[in-house]
Amino acid sequence: MAANTTETAIGYEQARDELIEVVRRLEAGGTTLEESLALWERGEELAKVCRRWLEGARARLDAALAGQEGPADQEE
């Protein structure tokens, strides 16, 4: 349930920015195994949020393009 809350509570930019910070922290090292696992799990959750936002944007774009192509095809 926590994942669903995160997914609906934050936007793409916020999730992306937090994901960048998670990656930086993981790459920098110096964290315990437990902290690293928690960061990894958070990163996976944030990546899913970003993916869903991007898939939604792609679907909207495709729908808009399909709507523009429909009437133009009929006029020709």
Side-chain angles (χ1 to χ4, degrees):
M1 187 158 186
N4 290 338
T5 303
T6 299
E7 291 173 12
T8 58
I10 63 175
Y12 171 79
E13 289 82 4
Q14 184 180 352
R16 180 202 59 210
D17 292 346
E18 189 178 341
L19 180 56
I20 290 168
E21 183 58 30
V22 165
V23 170
R24 282 186 190 144
R25 289 181 62 192
L26 285 169
E27 287 178 342
T31 57
T32 66
L33 178 59
E34 187 174 326
E35 291 169 332
S36 294
L37 287 172
L39 284 169
W40 179 269
E41 289 170 345
R42 180 65 178 157
E44 288 291 329
E45 189 176 306
L46 292 165
K48 286 179 187 177
V49 171
C50 290
R51 192 175 309 114
R52 287 195 177 129
W53 275 105
L54 291 172
E55 287 170 354
R58 170 58 70 190
R60 288 175 60 191
L61 241 147
D62 288 346
L65 290 173
Q68 289 178 353
E69 292 173 2
D73 290 342
Q74 293 173 358
E75 291 175 11
E76 292 180 10

